[in-house]
Amino acid sequence: MRIDVFSIFPEYLAALDLSLIGKARQDGLLDVRVKDLREFTTDRHRTVDDTPYGGGAGMVMKPEPWAQALATALDPAPEGPARPTLIVPSPAGEVFTQKTAYELAGAGHLVFACGRYEGIDERVLEWAGEHFTVRPMSLGDYVLNGGEVAVLAMVEAIGRLVPGVVGNPESLVEESHSDGLLEYPVYTKPSQWRERPIPEVLLSGNHAKIARFRRDEQLRRTSERRPDLIAKLDPSTLDKADKAT
Ligand SMILES: Nc1cc(-c2ccc3ccn(Cc4ccc(CN5CCCC5)cc4)c3c2)n[nH]1
């Protein structure tokens, strides 16, 4: 998978050189290219912003540098029929979920446009629609100062689902939100820590009972912390809960 990221703070994306994503880049599983938007300006001051039409606080990102930058992510001969997907972090986007991560992990080429200031001139997204599948994307209902933090989160969530990136694919199966439920609690040695024991069942070696315990914990936690997810559950998920005896 190829991933292009454009930002006026490319150093923000240095975290993508680390850990699992960094290793996947070294292994050639992910081809991540971070570029500085200012490379695509033409004036002496490398200007990327200007005042908003219609007034209002703050500045808006100029369209031309973005069009010049995004054009470099369009391969001269795009690999195959698939258009690259352009993800534009925005408070006004669709909410990024684990479902979105799975979907995007199957894409061949993702392009991320990190806005700053009050956002990017809307005409950029209109123009980009001719060459990309454009998806404004929100991390959640809170306002960040720019798109970089959102891109770090999305690239990590997507990258770890690309085959070969996570050593043991098993660990991707039983994780939060993969079955619509929150994950169960985890414990490790010592079995008694500061007068606190671990749930006895986990020492029983009875895998059926352990599976049942974990499923019950998932349901308990989800109903306590995220009742909204219970309402959205696929009925078969609840049946599975009964079967995990
Ligand atoms: N999930 C999530 C994503 C973001 C996010 C993503 C990209 C950018 C680029 C700039 N900003 C700051 C920012 C500040 C104020 C407004 C609201 N203004 C009101 C009138 C015009 C705009 C919008 C945007 C971002 C924020 N935040 N949260």
Side-chain angles (χ1 to χ4, degrees):
M1 172 188 286
R2 176 176 161 182
I3 297 177
D4 290 285
V5 186
F6 296 93
S7 166
I8 59 171
F9 296 125
E11 58 277 18
Y12 230 110
L13 287 304
L16 297 179
D17 297 333
L18 305 172
S19 184
L20 268 181
I21 302 300
K23 187 172 178 311
R25 293 173 75 177
Q26 287 162 6
D27 297 349
L29 289 169
L30 296 175
D31 169 12
V32 180
R33 310 175 193 190
V34 179
K35 291 191 190 136
D36 183 344
L37 180 70
R38 290 193 196 275
E39 282 174 28
F40 302 93
T41 58
T42 50
D43 65 305
R44 198 156 57 91
H45 298 290
R46 294 160 57 95
T47 309
V48 292
D49 64 311
D50 205 333
T51 53
Y53 278 119
M59 302 290 272
V60 171
M61 300 192 93
K62 295 167 63 67
E64 187 56 23
W66 276 111
Q68 294 295 333
L70 294 174
T72 66
L74 287 170
D75 292 328
E79 301 105 29
R83 293 151 65 104
T85 299
L86 173 63
I87 307 287
V88 185
S90 163
E94 65 178 283
V95 178
F96 181 83
T97 65
Q98 189 65 13
K99 183 169 175 285
T100 323
Y102 276 113
E103 184 192 332
L104 294 176
H109 185 185
L110 296 177
V111 182
F112 291 89
C114 298
R116 277 275 157 171
Y117 306 100
E118 298 295 309
I120 300 170
D121 186 303
E122 191 63 19
R123 291 169 293 179
V124 173
L125 281 76
E126 291 168 15
W127 165 82
E130 296 164 22
H131 312 279
F132 301 87
T133 301
V134 181
R135 293 179 69 170
M137 200 67 72
S138 165
L139 272 199
D141 295 334
Y142 43 86
V143 182
L144 300 165
N145 285 331
E148 287 79 6
V149 163
V151 169
L152 286 172
M154 288 189 277
V155 169
E156 181 158 315
I158 294 162
R160 66 194 294 275
L161 299 178
V162 172
V165 173
V166 170
N168 173 9
E170 265 297 295
S171 59
L172 296 179
V173 173
E174 282 189 319
E175 60 184 11
S176 251
H177 305 292
S178 56
D179 55 6
L181 292 171
L182 299 185
E183 64 208 16
Y184 50 77
V186 289
Y187 304 87
T188 187
K189 295 187 282 294
S191 61
Q192 186 83 6
W193 174 70
R194 295 192 182 191
E195 321 301 323
R196 296 172 189 278
I198 63 162
E200 273 301 312
V201 67
L202 297 178
L203 296 170
S204 70
N206 180 327
H207 296 293
K209 280 189 177 175
I210 291 168
R212 168 87 258 183
F213 164 80
R214 286 174 165 171
R215 197 69 183 175
D216 289 349
E217 282 298 292
Q218 280 187 277
L219 287 165
R220 183 182 60 74
R221 281 177 149 198
T222 307
S223 53
E224 276 172 19
R225 301 179 190 175
R226 292 292 304 277
D228 59 298
L229 293 180
I230 295 285
K232 284 195 273 183
L233 274 186
D234 179 314
S236 67
T237 305
L238 289 171
D239 296 347
K240 244 191 282 178
D242 297 334
K243 292 195 183 80
T245 47

